[in-house]
Amino acid sequence: MTIALRGASADALAALTSELESRLGGGADASRIGDDLFTVSELLRSEPGLRRVATDVSVDATAKAGLVTEIFGGKVDEVSLDILTSAVGRRWTVSRNLGDVLEHLSEVAIVRSAGDDSGRLADELHSYAQAVNDNPSLRDALSDPVRSVDDKAALVRGLLEGKALPATITLARQALAGTYRTVAVALATYQQVAAQVHGERVATVRVAHPLADAERQRLSDALSRQYDRPIHLNVVVDPDVIGGIRVEIGDDVIDGTVSNRLDDARRKLAG
């Protein structure tokens, strides 16, 4: 799943994001709202009949609000119910976008629940994603269709509990839902959401050896000046780099690695 919407659905996403941010800024329980909206998004995907009614423009908005209140009233936080009621009263380009947007809003709320630990959250998501990528047995266990989601969630809790923020554990568990193509794609998306919520961009930095704190700070400051916004660094230690540094920010690539210069030299010799 990606949040790449058009028309009415894009307008709904913008309006609902603004509503959510306003309510969270007023002291609403971000963690509870994140859990609620994720649960509702899963239900809407599993119940196409409910999803069709909730997005049907021919059904009166008041009737749809009454339906979701009857189903979810007393089961979710009042703010979660208000956001859901607002969502079903809006127009949607395609019905499945309702579940996609609610899941995205849940991610935003969970990121917000980390509060001042937002930088730590982004780092933990990156570290966990690297652990999944570097450990084939773990990656296979998390993607095994025979294993239940509850079993996989227990594995995630065993790996992260006591070591990571509650928000990190929640997002790692949500990555198992299957709405993204793979767990790795889900975790990469969460890192982007974490950066966007705080007005940042994410830079993946590949180096042969770990960067010292002063080096990280200088690089972050330089990139922030270049892109005119804060940059969060995800540093990947990759021996194939040999030396130098490779920076990836969105579609931009700054490659100053020794391996890249050697490849250029080989191409010139071959040509």
Side-chain angles (χ1 to χ4, degrees), residues 233-261:
L233 302 184
N234 285 340
V235 178
V236 178
V237 177
D238 181 358
D240 290 339
V241 167
I242 303 176
I245 188 170
R246 175 185 172 93
V247 179
E248 302 166 8
I249 303 180
D251 293 332
D252 295 348
V253 177
I254 306 168
D255 196 335
T257 61
V258 171
S259 60
N260 182 60
R261 292 196 291 271

mmCIF file of all heavy atoms in Angstrom, residues 233-261:
data_model
loop_
_atom_site.group_PDB
_atom_site.id
_atom_site.type_symbol
_atom_site.label_atom_id
_atom_site.label_comp_id
_atom_site.label_asym_id
_atom_site.label_seq_id
_atom_site.Cartn_x
_atom_site.Cartn_y
_atom_site.Cartn_z
ATOM 1 N N LEU A 233 19.450 11.136 9.152
ATOM 2 C CA LEU A 233 20.390 10.214 8.511
ATOM 3 C C LEU A 233 20.136 8.775 8.938
ATOM 4 O O LEU A 233 20.057 8.471 10.131
ATOM 5 C CB LEU A 233 21.832 10.575 8.881
ATOM 6 C CG LEU A 233 22.336 11.973 8.536
ATOM 7 C CD1 LEU A 233 23.810 12.080 8.903
ATOM 8 C CD2 LEU A 233 22.119 12.285 7.063
ATOM 9 N N ASN A 234 20.003 7.884 7.964
ATOM 10 C CA ASN A 234 20.038 6.441 8.193
ATOM 11 C C ASN A 234 21.372 5.939 7.655
ATOM 12 O O ASN A 234 21.577 5.899 6.440
ATOM 13 C CB ASN A 234 18.890 5.736 7.465
ATOM 14 C CG ASN A 234 17.556 5.944 8.155
ATOM 15 O OD1 ASN A 234 17.506 6.283 9.331
ATOM 16 N ND2 ASN A 234 16.473 5.758 7.423
ATOM 17 N N VAL A 235 22.279 5.603 8.549
ATOM 18 C CA VAL A 235 23.628 5.215 8.139
ATOM 19 C C VAL A 235 23.709 3.699 7.995
ATOM 20 O O VAL A 235 23.367 2.953 8.919
ATOM 21 C CB VAL A 235 24.680 5.708 9.148
ATOM 22 C CG1 VAL A 235 26.072 5.252 8.723
ATOM 23 C CG2 VAL A 235 24.624 7.225 9.273
ATOM 24 N N VAL A 236 24.143 3.242 6.819
ATOM 25 C CA VAL A 236 24.309 1.820 6.536
ATOM 26 C C VAL A 236 25.800 1.555 6.324
ATOM 27 O O VAL A 236 26.419 2.148 5.429
ATOM 28 C CB VAL A 236 23.527 1.398 5.276
ATOM 29 C CG1 VAL A 236 23.758 -0.085 4.975
ATOM 30 C CG2 VAL A 236 22.041 1.685 5.451
ATOM 31 N N VAL A 237 26.361 0.681 7.138
ATOM 32 C CA VAL A 237 27.774 0.309 6.977
ATOM 33 C C VAL A 237 27.854 -0.822 5.957
ATOM 34 O O VAL A 237 27.313 -1.899 6.159
ATOM 35 C CB VAL A 237 28.399 -0.125 8.318
ATOM 36 C CG1 VAL A 237 29.836 -0.581 8.107
ATOM 37 C CG2 VAL A 237 28.335 1.022 9.321
ATOM 38 N N ASP A 238 28.513 -0.534 4.830
ATOM 39 C CA ASP A 238 28.576 -1.466 3.708
ATOM 40 C C ASP A 238 30.033 -1.614 3.267
ATOM 41 O O ASP A 238 30.593 -0.707 2.646
ATOM 42 C CB ASP A 238 27.727 -0.931 2.553
ATOM 43 C CG ASP A 238 27.704 -1.852 1.351
ATOM 44 O OD1 ASP A 238 28.384 -2.900 1.381
ATOM 45 O OD2 ASP A 238 27.004 -1.522 0.377
ATOM 46 N N PRO A 239 30.687 -2.737 3.581
ATOM 47 C CA PRO A 239 32.104 -2.923 3.217
ATOM 48 C C PRO A 239 32.377 -2.784 1.728
ATOM 49 O O PRO A 239 33.497 -2.450 1.324
ATOM 50 C CB PRO A 239 32.403 -4.349 3.702
ATOM 51 C CG PRO A 239 31.394 -4.607 4.781
ATOM 52 C CD PRO A 239 30.157 -3.885 4.330
ATOM 53 N N ASP A 240 31.359 -3.035 0.880
ATOM 54 C CA ASP A 240 31.558 -2.920 -0.566
ATOM 55 C C ASP A 240 31.847 -1.477 -0.993
ATOM 56 O O ASP A 240 32.342 -1.242 -2.104
ATOM 57 C CB ASP A 240 30.333 -3.440 -1.319
ATOM 58 C CG ASP A 240 30.186 -4.953 -1.202
ATOM 59 O OD1 ASP A 240 31.198 -5.616 -0.905
ATOM 60 O OD2 ASP A 240 29.067 -5.459 -1.388
ATOM 61 N N VAL A 241 31.518 -0.535 -0.140
ATOM 62 C CA VAL A 241 31.761 0.867 -0.467
ATOM 63 C C VAL A 241 33.267 1.141 -0.568
ATOM 64 O O VAL A 241 33.712 1.995 -1.322
ATOM 65 C CB VAL A 241 31.114 1.780 0.608
ATOM 66 C CG1 VAL A 241 31.609 3.218 0.490
ATOM 67 C CG2 VAL A 241 29.586 1.741 0.478
ATOM 68 N N ILE A 242 34.073 0.422 0.219
ATOM 69 C CA ILE A 242 35.544 0.533 0.300
ATOM 70 C C ILE A 242 35.959 1.821 1.016
ATOM 71 O O ILE A 242 36.674 1.821 1.998
ATOM 72 C CB ILE A 242 36.232 0.453 -1.081
ATOM 73 C CG1 ILE A 242 35.849 -0.852 -1.786
ATOM 74 C CG2 ILE A 242 37.739 0.556 -0.924
ATOM 75 C CD1 ILE A 242 36.394 -0.969 -3.201
ATOM 76 N N GLY A 243 35.520 2.948 0.515
ATOM 77 C CA GLY A 243 35.828 4.236 1.125
ATOM 78 C C GLY A 243 34.909 5.288 0.543
ATOM 79 O O GLY A 243 34.178 5.035 -0.419
ATOM 80 N N GLY A 244 34.914 6.490 1.131
ATOM 81 C CA GLY A 244 34.031 7.532 0.635
ATOM 82 C C GLY A 244 32.624 7.369 1.171
ATOM 83 O O GLY A 244 32.395 6.695 2.176
ATOM 84 N N ILE A 245 31.645 7.952 0.475
ATOM 85 C CA ILE A 245 30.276 7.977 0.985
ATOM 86 C C ILE A 245 29.280 8.050 -0.170
ATOM 87 O O ILE A 245 29.551 8.666 -1.205
ATOM 88 C CB ILE A 245 30.107 9.189 1.929
ATOM 89 C CG1 ILE A 245 28.768 9.149 2.646
ATOM 90 C CG2 ILE A 245 30.282 10.502 1.186
ATOM 91 C CD1 ILE A 245 28.660 10.182 3.749
ATOM 92 N N ARG A 246 28.133 7.389 0.026
ATOM 93 C CA ARG A 246 27.036 7.452 -0.944
ATOM 94 C C ARG A 246 25.789 7.903 -0.191
ATOM 95 O O ARG A 246 25.433 7.312 0.843
ATOM 96 C CB ARG A 246 26.800 6.089 -1.594
ATOM 97 C CG ARG A 246 25.583 6.033 -2.543
ATOM 98 C CD ARG A 246 25.350 4.614 -3.039
ATOM 99 N NE ARG A 246 24.107 4.470 -3.783
ATOM 100 C CZ ARG A 246 24.010 4.572 -5.102
ATOM 101 N NH1 ARG A 246 25.101 4.800 -5.820
ATOM 102 N NH2 ARG A 246 22.853 4.420 -5.701
ATOM 103 N N VAL A 247 25.120 8.939 -0.690
ATOM 104 C CA VAL A 247 23.933 9.487 -0.040
ATOM 105 C C VAL A 247 22.743 9.371 -0.992
ATOM 106 O O VAL A 247 22.829 9.782 -2.155
ATOM 107 C CB VAL A 247 24.141 10.965 0.351
ATOM 108 C CG1 VAL A 247 22.879 11.522 1.012
ATOM 109 C CG2 VAL A 247 25.340 11.104 1.285
ATOM 110 N N GLU A 248 21.654 8.812 -0.494
ATOM 111 C CA GLU A 248 20.426 8.686 -1.280
ATOM 112 C C GLU A 248 19.316 9.433 -0.549
ATOM 113 O O GLU A 248 18.986 9.139 0.590
ATOM 114 C CB GLU A 248 20.044 7.214 -1.435
ATOM 115 C CG GLU A 248 21.117 6.359 -2.099
ATOM 116 C CD GLU A 248 20.858 4.867 -1.923
ATOM 117 O OE1 GLU A 248 19.779 4.506 -1.426
ATOM 118 O OE2 GLU A 248 21.760 4.079 -2.265
ATOM 119 N N ILE A 249 18.729 10.440 -1.219
ATOM 120 C CA ILE A 249 17.596 11.190 -0.679
ATOM 121 C C ILE A 249 16.516 11.192 -1.742
ATOM 122 O O ILE A 249 16.619 11.898 -2.752
ATOM 123 C CB ILE A 249 17.979 12.629 -0.308
ATOM 124 C CG1 ILE A 249 19.122 12.645 0.696
ATOM 125 C CG2 ILE A 249 16.778 13.373 0.261
ATOM 126 C CD1 ILE A 249 19.556 14.029 1.116
ATOM 127 N N GLY A 250 15.486 10.376 -1.533
ATOM 128 C CA GLY A 250 14.473 10.239 -2.565
ATOM 129 C C GLY A 250 15.094 9.712 -3.835
ATOM 130 O O GLY A 250 15.781 8.687 -3.835
ATOM 131 N N ASP A 251 14.912 10.444 -4.946
ATOM 132 C CA ASP A 251 15.491 10.028 -6.228
ATOM 133 C C ASP A 251 16.899 10.581 -6.434
ATOM 134 O O ASP A 251 17.551 10.268 -7.428
ATOM 135 C CB ASP A 251 14.592 10.503 -7.384
ATOM 136 C CG ASP A 251 13.250 9.801 -7.397
ATOM 137 O OD1 ASP A 251 13.190 8.652 -6.928
ATOM 138 O OD2 ASP A 251 12.259 10.413 -7.853
ATOM 139 N N ASP A 252 17.363 11.416 -5.501
ATOM 140 C CA ASP A 252 18.700 12.015 -5.632
ATOM 141 C C ASP A 252 19.760 11.060 -5.082
ATOM 142 O O ASP A 252 19.583 10.484 -4.008
ATOM 143 C CB ASP A 252 18.782 13.334 -4.874
ATOM 144 C CG ASP A 252 17.876 14.401 -5.466
ATOM 145 O OD1 ASP A 252 17.379 14.183 -6.584
ATOM 146 O OD2 ASP A 252 17.667 15.433 -4.809
ATOM 147 N N VAL A 253 20.864 10.926 -5.815
ATOM 148 C CA VAL A 253 21.982 10.091 -5.379
ATOM 149 C C VAL A 253 23.269 10.899 -5.492
ATOM 150 O O VAL A 253 23.578 11.461 -6.559
ATOM 151 C CB VAL A 253 22.107 8.805 -6.218
ATOM 152 C CG1 VAL A 253 23.329 8.013 -5.784
ATOM 153 C CG2 VAL A 253 20.844 7.954 -6.089
ATOM 154 N N ILE A 254 23.994 10.986 -4.381
ATOM 155 C CA ILE A 254 25.312 11.622 -4.364
ATOM 156 C C ILE A 254 26.317 10.520 -4.079
ATOM 157 O O ILE A 254 26.398 10.015 -2.953
ATOM 158 C CB ILE A 254 25.387 12.715 -3.275
ATOM 159 C CG1 ILE A 254 24.250 13.730 -3.447
ATOM 160 C CG2 ILE A 254 26.747 13.403 -3.295
ATOM 161 C CD1 ILE A 254 24.079 14.661 -2.261
ATOM 162 N N ASP A 255 27.047 10.102 -5.099
ATOM 163 C CA ASP A 255 27.936 8.950 -4.961
ATOM 164 C C ASP A 255 29.391 9.381 -5.041
ATOM 165 O O ASP A 255 29.915 9.673 -6.104
ATOM 166 C CB ASP A 255 27.633 7.911 -6.042
ATOM 167 C CG ASP A 255 28.233 6.548 -5.714
ATOM 168 O OD1 ASP A 255 29.229 6.508 -4.954
ATOM 169 O OD2 ASP A 255 27.701 5.531 -6.177
ATOM 170 N N GLY A 256 30.039 9.419 -3.863
ATOM 171 C CA GLY A 256 31.455 9.751 -3.821
ATOM 172 C C GLY A 256 32.274 8.611 -3.258
ATOM 173 O O GLY A 256 33.261 8.827 -2.565
ATOM 174 N N THR A 257 31.846 7.376 -3.563
ATOM 175 C CA THR A 257 32.524 6.207 -3.004
ATOM 176 C C THR A 257 33.704 5.797 -3.870
ATOM 177 O O THR A 257 33.743 6.042 -5.084
ATOM 178 C CB THR A 257 31.559 5.018 -2.892
ATOM 179 O OG1 THR A 257 31.072 4.677 -4.201
ATOM 180 C CG2 THR A 257 30.372 5.359 -2.006
ATOM 181 N N VAL A 258 34.655 5.143 -3.235
ATOM 182 C CA VAL A 258 35.807 4.603 -3.967
ATOM 183 C C VAL A 258 35.335 3.553 -4.964
ATOM 184 O O VAL A 258 35.822 3.492 -6.105
ATOM 185 C CB VAL A 258 36.821 4.006 -2.982
ATOM 186 C CG1 VAL A 258 37.916 3.254 -3.741
ATOM 187 C CG2 VAL A 258 37.428 5.095 -2.115
ATOM 188 N N SER A 259 34.391 2.729 -4.562
ATOM 189 C CA SER A 259 33.907 1.670 -5.461
ATOM 190 C C SER A 259 33.302 2.265 -6.722
ATOM 191 O O SER A 259 33.478 1.732 -7.821
ATOM 192 C CB SER A 259 32.881 0.783 -4.751
ATOM 193 O OG SER A 259 31.769 1.538 -4.318
ATOM 194 N N ASN A 260 32.610 3.389 -6.593
ATOM 195 C CA ASN A 260 32.022 4.028 -7.766
ATOM 196 C C ASN A 260 33.105 4.580 -8.688
ATOM 197 O O ASN A 260 33.022 4.450 -9.921
ATOM 198 C CB ASN A 260 31.094 5.162 -7.331
ATOM 199 C CG ASN A 260 30.408 5.831 -8.515
ATOM 200 O OD1 ASN A 260 29.681 5.179 -9.253
ATOM 201 N ND2 ASN A 260 30.630 7.116 -8.688
ATOM 202 N N ARG A 261 34.151 5.165 -8.097
ATOM 203 C CA ARG A 261 35.244 5.693 -8.915
ATOM 204 C C ARG A 261 35.997 4.564 -9.618
ATOM 205 O O ARG A 261 36.425 4.704 -10.773
ATOM 206 C CB ARG A 261 36.195 6.525 -8.045
ATOM 207 C CG ARG A 261 35.562 7.813 -7.533
ATOM 208 C CD ARG A 261 36.609 8.796 -7.026
ATOM 209 N NE ARG A 261 37.249 8.337 -5.820
ATOM 210 C CZ ARG A 261 36.799 8.590 -4.581
ATOM 211 N NH1 ARG A 261 35.682 9.281 -4.421
ATOM 212 N NH2 ARG A 261 37.459 8.158 -3.520
#
